[in-house]
């Protein structure tokens, strides 16, 4: 009898202290994450449709590239006039997470959408992740004032927005959720937001892909060799190359940004000068393969041998474009850099070309963003589970060898990459370059 009473008390205690609070937590964030996911997924769908139109129209009217300086001035002036409060982009999301001060203005979403589409229309080299993440974060943060949420809940909201934006723009809900949890602090994952992040990522991806029928480019690795000691050892030099390429990408972007800020005081003039340089380079080399997203070249990297220098050219064009003040993300150019570098490495590393391109696709991304787990999951989502060991080890090695550098200056180092750099703990990347 006494044993039964004790069991009933323990069950009652479990229900009151754990089950019911967890049920309320799940219900609350299911509602909010669904709302954020629907809005962010719809925004990503609009963005991807607009981006496809801009890319196709530019390729059919190459003369538009000559107007890149004018487009740069328009983008720079609009941000100078209306976007001073949101000009930091992804770094602003990180700063608001670390030190919440005020709700991110909703204007971030339409401004970055306009800036990115204009950048691609006139021939800049940029990506799309930054745009989707900023739109998702700005949309999500509006719920803070609508529902008068706490500071802790606001951090979860920003995490949902980032997860939703990333997942919907690439069609990778697992990677989107983990990216939002992993990018906040280098070497740490914020598990308290794991359920809301996953919910928001899946709803946003479903909204974009199913409700709006916006589909993503498939990347195929036709043959993946068995894992053995020799093949595993070959992953390491490849991962080192991917990490160094990610570091070079980040350093080059920061270099151009600092250079333009140092010599040009008036912000709208920076993309004008950058636009002149990019447009002149495009017409000088006679190809548009290094501007825009570069998805056709990424696909080619899985199927045919490309010039070895393609990855360096893409780093140069993208770092100059973004450093000058044009808008867009870095991740798709990182995919381009990694896939073409992997393609080039197939000449010296005895692994299949398509596999090396896939490893580079996510490996350079891992090194530049310091998110090895998210990039591993992205590789599995895009290329299949059979690639898991190859892409996972490549991402981890790239993460280590990119050093304490990255495309997000405001990232804080929670756990240094190894014990030799314990003094870096708690600092952000912008202070240790």
């Amino acid at each position: 009898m006494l044993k039964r009473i004790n069991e009933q008390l323990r069950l009652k205690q479990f229900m009151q202290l754990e089950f019911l609070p967890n049920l309320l937590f799940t219900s609350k964030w299911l509602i909010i994450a669904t709302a954020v996911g629907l809005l962010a997924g719809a925004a990503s769908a609009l963005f991807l449709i607009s981006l496809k139109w801009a890319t196709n129209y530019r390729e059919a009217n190459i003369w538009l590239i000559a107007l890149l300086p004018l487009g740069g001035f328009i983008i720079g002036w609009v941000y100078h006039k209306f976007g001073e409060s949101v000009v930091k982009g992804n770094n602003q999301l990180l700063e608001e997470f670390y030190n919440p001060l005020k709700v991110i203005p909703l204007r971030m979403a339409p401004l970055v959408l306009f800036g990115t589409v204009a950048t691609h229309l006139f021939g800049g080299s940029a990506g799309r992740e930054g745009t989707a993440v900023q739109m998702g974060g700005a949309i999500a943060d509006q719920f803070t004032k609508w529902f008068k949420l706490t500071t802790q809940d606001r951090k979860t909201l920003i995490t949902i927005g980032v997860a939703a934006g990333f997942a919907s723009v690439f069609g990778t809900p697992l990677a989107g959720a983990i990216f939002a949890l992993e990018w906040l602090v280098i070497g740490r994952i914020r598990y308290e937001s794991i359920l809301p992040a996953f919910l928001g990522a899946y709803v946003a991806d479903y909204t974009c892909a199913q409700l709006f029928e916006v589909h993503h480019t498939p990347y195929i690795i036709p043959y993946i060799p068995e894992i053995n000691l020799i093949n595993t050892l070959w992953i390491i030099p490849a991962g080192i190359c991917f990490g160094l390429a990610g570091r070079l990408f980040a350093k080059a972007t920061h270099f151009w940004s600092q250079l333009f800020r140092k010599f040009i005081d008036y912000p709208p003039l920076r993309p004008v000068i950058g636009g002149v340089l990019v447009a002149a380079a495009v017409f000088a080399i006679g190809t548009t393969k290094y501007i825009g997203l570069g998805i056709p070249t990424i696909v080619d990297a899985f199927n045919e041998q490309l010039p070895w220098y393609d990855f360096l050219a893409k780093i140069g064009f993208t770092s100059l474009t973004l450093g000058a003040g044009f808008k867009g993300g870095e991740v798709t150019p990182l995919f381009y850099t990694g896939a073409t570098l992997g393609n080039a490495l197939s000449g010296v590393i005895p692994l299949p070309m398509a596999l090396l391109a896939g490893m580079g696709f996510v490996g350079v991304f891992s090194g530049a963003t310091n998110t090895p787990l998210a990039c591993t999951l992205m590789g599995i989502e895009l290329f299949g589970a059979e690639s898991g060991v190859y892409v996972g080890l490549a991402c981890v090695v790239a993460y280590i060898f990119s050093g304490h550098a990255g495309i997000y200056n405001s990232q804080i180092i929670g756990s240094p990459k190894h014990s030799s750099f314990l003094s870096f703990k708690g600092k952000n990347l912008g202070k240790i370059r």
Side-chain angles (χ1 to χ4, degrees):
M1 183 68 177
L2 182 60
K3 182 179 179 181
R4 182 180 299 175
I5 293 173
N6 287 335
E7 289 177 351
Q8 291 176 343
L9 288 174
R10 283 196 294 270
L11 178 60
K12 183 178 181 181
Q13 185 180 44
F14 168 73
M15 293 293 291
Q16 291 178 341
L17 298 181
E18 294 192 53
F19 182 80
L20 289 177
N22 285 339
L23 184 61
L24 290 172
F25 174 85
T26 302
S27 301
K28 169 185 174 180
W29 289 110
L30 175 60
I31 295 170
I32 295 176
T34 298
V36 172
L38 286 169
L39 293 172
S44 289
L46 172 64
F47 170 53
L48 291 174
I49 292 170
S50 302
L51 200 55
K52 183 177 181 179
W53 170 83
T55 300
N56 291 339
Y57 192 81
R58 183 196 67 235
E59 289 301 303
N61 299 274
I62 299 300
W63 59 267
L64 280 171
I65 299 173
L67 300 181
L68 185 59
L70 175 61
F73 179 79
I74 294 171
I75 295 168
W77 183 85
V78 168
Y79 263 83
H80 185 62
K81 186 73 174 178
F82 305 105
E84 284 291 313
S85 60
V86 296
V87 73
K88 293 182 180 179
N90 287 356
N91 286 307
Q92 185 165 347
L93 297 179
L94 288 167
E95 291 172 10
E96 284 296 327
F97 178 87
Y98 302 139
N99 183 30
L101 296 175
K102 59 181 180 179
V103 173
I104 296 169
L106 184 58
R107 72 180 65 178
M108 173 182 275
L111 281 173
V112 74
L113 174 63
F114 160 76
T116 304
V117 172
T119 295
H120 284 272
L121 177 64
F122 292 108
S125 177
R128 50 191 173 176
E129 150 273 340
T131 306
V133 164
Q134 289 171 51
M135 289 195 300
I139 290 169
D141 207 17
Q142 305 312 304
F143 285 76
T144 300
K145 56 186 180 183
W146 294 341
F147 293 95
K148 301 189 184 305
L149 299 176
T150 64
T151 298
Q152 191 65 26
D153 283 347
R154 185 179 177 221
K155 292 184 177 183
T156 300
L157 265 177
I158 293 175
T159 303
I160 295 172
V162 172
F166 190 102
S168 55
V169 83
F170 292 123
T172 53
L174 281 175
I178 297 301
F179 176 84
L181 300 168
E182 191 178 19
W183 84 312
L184 295 165
V185 181
I186 296 175
R188 304 283 177 85
I189 292 183
R190 191 168 178 264
Y191 276 99
E192 59 267 36
S193 296
I194 192 168
L195 177 62
F198 270 79
L199 291 172
Y202 275 102
V203 172
D205 177 56
Y206 181 85
T207 300
C208 184
Q210 301 300 322
L211 298 186
F212 286 88
E213 299 184 345
V214 176
H215 302 295
H216 304 278
T217 304
Y219 301 100
I220 307 298
I221 301 178
Y223 170 66
I224 299 175
E226 65 174 325
I227 291 293
N228 56 40
L229 179 60
I230 299 300
N231 287 343
T232 302
L233 290 176
W234 277 115
I235 299 173
I236 296 176
I240 292 173
C241 292
F242 299 145
L244 294 176
R247 182 182 179 87
L248 176 61
F249 187 104
K251 292 291 186 180
T253 303
H254 298 320
F255 166 78
W256 284 112
S257 179
Q258 291 172 353
L259 190 68
F260 279 103
R261 289 175 183 272
K262 181 178 179 180
F263 291 103
I264 304 175
D265 291 331
Y266 186 52
L269 190 57
R270 296 167 191 161
V272 173
I273 304 302
V276 169
L277 296 175
V278 171
V282 170
F283 288 119
I285 62 178
T287 179
T288 61
K289 70 181 295 187
Y290 303 121
I291 60 174
L293 293 173
I295 288 178
T297 303
I298 298 175
V299 173
D300 288 344
F302 286 78
N303 302 307
E304 60 187 68
Q305 196 70 51
L306 299 176
W308 68 267
Y309 51 80
D310 274 358
F311 78 98
L312 288 174
K314 188 61 173 177
I315 290 175
F317 273 88
T318 306
S319 61
L320 175 56
T321 297
L322 297 179
F326 286 93
K327 299 303 173 183
E330 299 93 346
V331 172
T332 304
L334 287 169
F335 294 161
Y336 184 119
T337 300
T340 53
L341 175 56
N343 180 283
L345 289 175
S346 66
V348 293
I349 294 179
L351 291 174
M353 176 193 297
L355 177 59
L356 281 165
M359 290 161 57
F361 185 106
V362 290
V364 173
F365 175 27
S366 171
T369 60
N370 298 296
T371 55
L373 297 181
C375 294
T376 298
L377 286 174
M378 172 172 268
I380 292 172
E381 286 185 287
L382 293 176
F383 313 130
E386 297 82 2
S387 68
V389 173
Y390 287 99
V391 298
L393 186 53
C395 287
V396 171
V397 174
Y399 166 75
I400 296 296
F401 277 87
S402 67
H404 291 90
I407 57 177
Y408 308 124
N409 271 339
S410 296
Q411 272 186 320
I412 288 179
I413 300 171
S415 294
K417 297 188 179 182
H418 50 81
S419 58
S420 301
F421 296 96
L422 290 178
S423 61
F424 289 175
K425 185 175 181 179
K427 296 181 180 180
N428 66 38
L429 294 183
K431 293 183 178 179
I432 61 173
R433 287 206 309 271

mmCIF file of all heavy atoms in Angstrom, residues 91-109:
data_model
loop_
_atom_site.group_PDB
_atom_site.id
_atom_site.type_symbol
_atom_site.label_atom_id
_atom_site.label_comp_id
_atom_site.label_asym_id
_atom_site.label_seq_id
_atom_site.Cartn_x
_atom_site.Cartn_y
_atom_site.Cartn_z
ATOM 1 N N ASN A 91 25.630 40.238 -38.602
ATOM 2 C CA ASN A 91 26.326 40.578 -37.357
ATOM 3 C C ASN A 91 25.395 41.284 -36.373
ATOM 4 O O ASN A 91 25.560 41.167 -35.161
ATOM 5 C CB ASN A 91 27.547 41.459 -37.656
ATOM 6 C CG ASN A 91 28.682 40.661 -38.267
ATOM 7 O OD1 ASN A 91 29.109 39.649 -37.730
ATOM 8 N ND2 ASN A 91 29.153 41.097 -39.422
ATOM 9 N N GLN A 92 24.410 42.009 -36.896
ATOM 10 C CA GLN A 92 23.450 42.663 -36.013
ATOM 11 C C GLN A 92 22.588 41.635 -35.290
ATOM 12 O O GLN A 92 22.265 41.806 -34.115
ATOM 13 C CB GLN A 92 22.559 43.618 -36.813
ATOM 14 C CG GLN A 92 21.619 44.435 -35.935
ATOM 15 C CD GLN A 92 21.031 45.610 -36.686
ATOM 16 O OE1 GLN A 92 21.500 45.955 -37.768
ATOM 17 N NE2 GLN A 92 20.024 46.240 -36.121
ATOM 18 N N LEU A 93 22.225 40.556 -35.965
ATOM 19 C CA LEU A 93 21.475 39.497 -35.309
ATOM 20 C C LEU A 93 22.289 38.891 -34.174
ATOM 21 O O LEU A 93 21.761 38.627 -33.083
ATOM 22 C CB LEU A 93 21.105 38.402 -36.323
ATOM 23 C CG LEU A 93 20.193 38.814 -37.483
ATOM 24 C CD1 LEU A 93 19.961 37.618 -38.399
ATOM 25 C CD2 LEU A 93 18.862 39.346 -36.976
ATOM 26 N N LEU A 94 23.571 38.677 -34.423
ATOM 27 C CA LEU A 94 24.437 38.125 -33.378
ATOM 28 C C LEU A 94 24.552 39.087 -32.201
ATOM 29 O O LEU A 94 24.462 38.685 -31.037
ATOM 30 C CB LEU A 94 25.825 37.836 -33.961
ATOM 31 C CG LEU A 94 25.927 36.634 -34.908
ATOM 32 C CD1 LEU A 94 27.257 36.661 -35.654
ATOM 33 C CD2 LEU A 94 25.785 35.332 -34.137
ATOM 34 N N GLU A 95 24.737 40.367 -32.484
ATOM 35 C CA GLU A 95 24.894 41.350 -31.415
ATOM 36 C C GLU A 95 23.624 41.485 -30.586
ATOM 37 O O GLU A 95 23.686 41.629 -29.353
ATOM 38 C CB GLU A 95 25.300 42.694 -32.006
ATOM 39 C CG GLU A 95 26.712 42.689 -32.583
ATOM 40 C CD GLU A 95 27.045 43.963 -33.342
ATOM 41 O OE1 GLU A 95 26.241 44.923 -33.258
ATOM 42 O OE2 GLU A 95 28.096 44.004 -34.009
ATOM 43 N N GLU A 96 22.476 41.434 -31.228
ATOM 44 C CA GLU A 96 21.215 41.511 -30.490
ATOM 45 C C GLU A 96 20.976 40.256 -29.654
ATOM 46 O O GLU A 96 20.331 40.307 -28.615
ATOM 47 C CB GLU A 96 20.040 41.733 -31.444
ATOM 48 C CG GLU A 96 19.924 43.148 -31.957
ATOM 49 C CD GLU A 96 19.647 44.153 -30.847
ATOM 50 O OE1 GLU A 96 18.968 43.800 -29.871
ATOM 51 O OE2 GLU A 96 20.130 45.286 -30.949
ATOM 52 N N PHE A 97 21.500 39.147 -30.103
ATOM 53 C CA PHE A 97 21.391 37.917 -29.309
ATOM 54 C C PHE A 97 22.255 38.020 -28.057
ATOM 55 O O PHE A 97 21.822 37.696 -26.953
ATOM 56 C CB PHE A 97 21.813 36.700 -30.133
ATOM 57 C CG PHE A 97 21.757 35.415 -29.358
ATOM 58 C CD1 PHE A 97 20.581 34.690 -29.290
ATOM 59 C CD2 PHE A 97 22.872 34.936 -28.693
ATOM 60 C CE1 PHE A 97 20.520 33.511 -28.566
ATOM 61 C CE2 PHE A 97 22.824 33.758 -27.968
ATOM 62 C CZ PHE A 97 21.639 33.047 -27.903
ATOM 63 N N TYR A 98 23.493 38.487 -28.218
ATOM 64 C CA TYR A 98 24.400 38.587 -27.083
ATOM 65 C C TYR A 98 23.974 39.677 -26.101
ATOM 66 O O TYR A 98 24.047 39.510 -24.883
ATOM 67 C CB TYR A 98 25.833 38.905 -27.551
ATOM 68 C CG TYR A 98 26.422 37.906 -28.510
ATOM 69 C CD1 TYR A 98 27.167 38.325 -29.608
ATOM 70 C CD2 TYR A 98 26.249 36.532 -28.334
ATOM 71 C CE1 TYR A 98 27.719 37.421 -30.497
ATOM 72 C CE2 TYR A 98 26.805 35.618 -29.216
ATOM 73 C CZ TYR A 98 27.535 36.071 -30.296
ATOM 74 O OH TYR A 98 28.083 35.177 -31.170
ATOM 75 N N ASN A 99 23.540 40.807 -26.653
ATOM 76 C CA ASN A 99 23.222 41.964 -25.818
ATOM 77 C C ASN A 99 21.925 42.600 -26.309
ATOM 78 O O ASN A 99 21.948 43.609 -27.018
ATOM 79 C CB ASN A 99 24.374 42.977 -25.870
ATOM 80 C CG ASN A 99 24.140 44.163 -24.968
ATOM 81 O OD1 ASN A 99 23.483 44.053 -23.924
ATOM 82 N ND2 ASN A 99 24.667 45.313 -25.349
ATOM 83 N N PRO A 100 20.778 42.033 -25.954
ATOM 84 C CA PRO A 100 19.492 42.534 -26.458
ATOM 85 C C PRO A 100 19.239 43.976 -26.025
ATOM 86 O O PRO A 100 19.222 44.283 -24.839
ATOM 87 C CB PRO A 100 18.466 41.583 -25.816
ATOM 88 C CG PRO A 100 19.244 40.370 -25.431
ATOM 89 C CD PRO A 100 20.610 40.866 -25.067
ATOM 90 N N LEU A 101 19.057 44.857 -27.001
ATOM 91 C CA LEU A 101 18.803 46.266 -26.709
ATOM 92 C C LEU A 101 17.442 46.707 -27.241
ATOM 93 O O LEU A 101 16.632 47.270 -26.519
ATOM 94 C CB LEU A 101 19.902 47.140 -27.317
ATOM 95 C CG LEU A 101 21.318 46.931 -26.745
ATOM 96 C CD1 LEU A 101 22.325 47.777 -27.513
ATOM 97 C CD2 LEU A 101 21.345 47.305 -25.260
ATOM 98 N N LYS A 102 17.194 46.456 -28.511
ATOM 99 C CA LYS A 102 15.911 46.858 -29.082
ATOM 100 C C LYS A 102 15.543 45.899 -30.213
ATOM 101 O O LYS A 102 16.410 45.261 -30.828
ATOM 102 C CB LYS A 102 15.972 48.293 -29.604
ATOM 103 C CG LYS A 102 17.019 48.541 -30.673
ATOM 104 C CD LYS A 102 17.017 50.006 -31.094
ATOM 105 C CE LYS A 102 18.075 50.267 -32.164
ATOM 106 N NZ LYS A 102 18.079 51.671 -32.607
ATOM 107 N N VAL A 103 14.268 45.812 -30.480
ATOM 108 C CA VAL A 103 13.771 44.916 -31.513
ATOM 109 C C VAL A 103 14.359 45.313 -32.867
ATOM 110 O O VAL A 103 14.430 46.504 -33.202
ATOM 111 C CB VAL A 103 12.232 44.953 -31.561
ATOM 112 C CG1 VAL A 103 11.709 44.155 -32.752
ATOM 113 C CG2 VAL A 103 11.648 44.414 -30.265
ATOM 114 N N ILE A 104 14.799 44.312 -33.616
ATOM 115 C CA ILE A 104 15.356 44.561 -34.941
ATOM 116 C C ILE A 104 14.276 45.170 -35.831
ATOM 117 O O ILE A 104 13.178 44.611 -35.940
ATOM 118 C CB ILE A 104 15.875 43.251 -35.560
ATOM 119 C CG1 ILE A 104 17.024 42.707 -34.712
ATOM 120 C CG2 ILE A 104 16.332 43.468 -37.003
ATOM 121 C CD1 ILE A 104 17.440 41.303 -35.080
ATOM 122 N N PRO A 105 14.538 46.317 -36.443
ATOM 123 C CA PRO A 105 13.513 46.939 -37.294
ATOM 124 C C PRO A 105 13.060 46.023 -38.425
ATOM 125 O O PRO A 105 13.884 45.369 -39.068
ATOM 126 C CB PRO A 105 14.229 48.182 -37.843
ATOM 127 C CG PRO A 105 15.315 48.473 -36.857
ATOM 128 C CD PRO A 105 15.761 47.132 -36.356
ATOM 129 N N LEU A 106 11.777 45.975 -38.648
ATOM 130 C CA LEU A 106 11.225 45.128 -39.711
ATOM 131 C C LEU A 106 11.751 45.552 -41.073
ATOM 132 O O LEU A 106 11.799 44.737 -42.010
ATOM 133 C CB LEU A 106 9.695 45.192 -39.679
ATOM 134 C CG LEU A 106 8.955 44.276 -40.662
ATOM 135 C CD1 LEU A 106 9.333 42.812 -40.425
ATOM 136 C CD2 LEU A 106 7.453 44.468 -40.552
ATOM 137 N N ARG A 107 12.182 46.800 -41.191
ATOM 138 C CA ARG A 107 12.680 47.286 -42.483
ATOM 139 C C ARG A 107 13.899 46.498 -42.957
ATOM 140 O O ARG A 107 14.237 46.547 -44.150
ATOM 141 C CB ARG A 107 13.018 48.769 -42.394
ATOM 142 C CG ARG A 107 14.267 49.082 -41.588
ATOM 143 C CD ARG A 107 14.563 50.562 -41.524
ATOM 144 N NE ARG A 107 13.527 51.284 -40.789
ATOM 145 C CZ ARG A 107 13.563 52.585 -40.565
ATOM 146 N NH1 ARG A 107 14.574 53.316 -41.042
ATOM 147 N NH2 ARG A 107 12.615 53.179 -39.872
ATOM 148 N N MET A 108 14.570 45.782 -42.049
ATOM 149 C CA MET A 108 15.705 44.969 -42.472
ATOM 150 C C MET A 108 15.305 43.999 -43.583
ATOM 151 O O MET A 108 16.068 43.781 -44.539
ATOM 152 C CB MET A 108 16.286 44.177 -41.289
ATOM 153 C CG MET A 108 17.376 43.181 -41.696
ATOM 154 S SD MET A 108 18.032 42.211 -40.332
ATOM 155 C CE MET A 108 19.292 43.325 -39.687
ATOM 156 N N ALA A 109 14.106 43.423 -43.475
ATOM 157 C CA ALA A 109 13.664 42.422 -44.450
ATOM 158 C C ALA A 109 13.525 42.989 -45.855
ATOM 159 O O ALA A 109 14.164 42.488 -46.798
ATOM 160 C CB ALA A 109 12.374 41.757 -43.983
#
